[in-house]
Amino acid sequence: MSFNVTILGTGAAVPTLKRGTTAQLVNCQQRSILIDCGEATQLQMRKFQVKFQNIQLVLISHLHGDHVFGLPGLISTMQLLGRTAPITIIGPKGIKEFLLSQFKLVGLYNGFPLNFTELVPQQEGLVFEDKCLEIKTFPLSHRIATHGYRIDEKPGNRRLDKEAFEKTGVSTSYINKLISGEDIEDNNGVVVHSEDVTYSPKPTKSYAFCSDTAYHPPIIEHLTDVDLLYHEATFIDKESERATDTFHSTAKQAATIALKANAKRLILGHFSARYKTMDAHLEEAQTIFERVFIPEDGEFFNV
Ligand SMILES: [Zn+2]
């Protein structure tokens, strides 16, 4: 099963022709999850050929415009195109009022069901779970209540050792039980132990999203051993004072979080429009953490 991320917007504050504001599309198992939705995210989705009607779950980090101004428009478009399937929206307290007040004023909304889960400031722990994945939240450090998210796959079925299974001579109708870990006995009294004819399940993967935030070491415990970490890096070291004042991070600080959390790979983002190239971000981050990536809008990562 696939687990991947498309970075739809890599810029901070305002959308530009080069960089959209924050939005990411995560596909995990059968789930299609949108994280944040800055202005014009629906155009980014069209540009990068992301199927937005498949989105079932939206995670919002905080109520700054560059993370939510695209959501009313996206939902409106989904409705105009005839969507009937529900969407679950998880985000800070106020996300429901933010959306519904606009829909009421423009007389728009009586379409598909929207299910809201509003988080309280500093909330941490499980916010969503199904048979394939779980999503936990943890508090970031920003000017308003801001929530990070971590998506972990759950272990799938064991994998069949075909050769060992065929040697047992039992019917293939027992395969489902065996790969789900059950031992079986067939009609002829042949006993087969699951462990003898299967391998352990495929290792699970994890993805974490941290934007917007000042350098904030308490998040490290929530990011331990994550396979792919997205951490904002609005600034470089030269602007570290400005980063502190505005509750944002530098590339070095993001890399320090990745190193201390033992993350496998790091994606930076939420770049200030003041930088003409991202060379300094890359260089500074790599002095601390080697496996770092500077994405362009539309870039795709396997987790
Ligand atoms: Zn913000």
Side-chain angles (χ1 to χ4, degrees), residues 7-293:
I7 309 291
L8 296 165
T10 56
V14 293
T16 65
L17 290 174
K18 188 167 184 322
R19 298 191 185 278
T21 46
T22 303
Q24 304 187 357
L25 200 280
V26 177
N27 286 303
C28 180
Q29 308 272 0
Q30 313 291 355
R31 293 268 168 206
S32 181
I33 304 164
L34 176 65
I35 308 182
D36 281 351
C37 191
E39 186 180 340
T41 291
Q42 60 173 306
L43 289 179
Q44 297 287 81
M45 289 173 161
R46 286 190 188 279
K47 192 168 163 189
F48 303 121
Q49 300 181 352
V50 165
K51 289 185 181 148
F52 56 76
Q53 291 290 34
N54 290 350
I55 293 167
Q56 300 137 320
L57 189 57
V58 178
L59 308 175
I60 296 294
S61 64
H62 66 303
L63 291 178
H64 279 158
D66 55 337
H67 297 254
V68 292
F69 279 168
L71 194 52
L74 176 64
I75 289 172
S76 166
T77 297
M78 287 171 164
Q79 187 189 332
L80 292 171
L81 297 181
R83 182 178 178 122
T84 54
I87 285 193
T88 296
I89 298 170
I90 299 172
K93 189 167 164 37
I95 185 68
K96 184 175 179 179
E97 186 187 349
F98 167 75
L99 287 172
L100 297 190
S101 62
Q102 292 178 78
F103 295 150
K104 191 175 165 200
L105 284 168
V106 301
L108 174 88
Y109 200 72
N110 57 1
F112 57 92
L114 297 177
N115 305 314
F116 290 94
T117 300
E118 291 198 326
L119 309 176
V120 297
Q122 304 302 312
Q123 184 166 335
E124 59 178 70
L126 194 70
V127 290
F128 181 88
E129 184 176 27
D130 65 16
K131 69 180 195 317
C132 300
L133 60 88
E134 61 177 34
I135 303 176
K136 289 181 175 154
T137 188
F138 49 90
L140 301 173
S141 173
H142 199 41
R143 297 193 299 282
I144 58 174
T146 303
H147 308 276
Y149 296 99
R150 175 177 175 144
I151 303 170
D152 279 278
E153 282 181 306
K154 287 184 177 175
N157 280 331
R158 299 179 65 82
R159 294 169 290 176
L160 190 71
D161 176 346
K162 266 194 180 164
E163 209 175 305
F165 174 76
E166 276 164 15
K167 277 187 194 153
T168 67
V170 302
S171 157
T172 53
S173 63
Y174 291 104
I175 288 178
N176 278 345
K177 280 190 173 165
L178 289 164
I179 62 173
S180 67
E182 272 183 65
D183 301 335
I184 62 102
E185 180 177 354
D186 79 353
N187 297 337
N188 304 316
V190 179
V191 173
V192 181
H193 296 283
S194 170
E195 283 200 359
D196 295 339
V197 295
T198 60
Y199 306 109
S200 51
K202 193 171 133 249
T204 60
K205 295 283 181 82
S206 52
Y207 176 66
F209 173 89
C210 303
S211 185
D212 297 357
T213 186
Y215 177 65
H216 190 53
I219 65 176
I220 292 165
E221 63 171 304
H222 301 282
L223 304 173
T224 308
D225 298 333
V226 71
D227 290 284
L228 185 60
L229 169 65
Y230 171 87
H231 193 293
E232 73 129 288
T234 311
F235 298 108
I236 53 173
D237 220 21
K238 215 166 52 165
E239 279 82 39
S240 60
E241 228 170 84
R242 178 150 179 77
T244 307
D245 290 347
T246 56
F247 288 81
H248 285 297
S249 295
T250 66
K252 252 188 193 171
Q253 290 170 333
T256 303
I257 295 288
L259 179 74
K260 290 187 171 175
N262 194 34
K264 295 202 178 58
R265 289 174 297 149
L266 170 66
I267 303 172
L268 302 181
H270 201 264
F271 304 126
S272 165
R274 73 184 60 209
Y275 301 108
K276 295 283 175 289
T277 80
M278 305 315 296
D279 297 348
H281 282 72
L282 187 63
E283 272 169 35
E284 288 188 2
Q286 280 185 331
T287 61
I288 290 164
F289 187 86
E290 184 63 29
R291 303 200 69 198
V292 57
F293 301 88

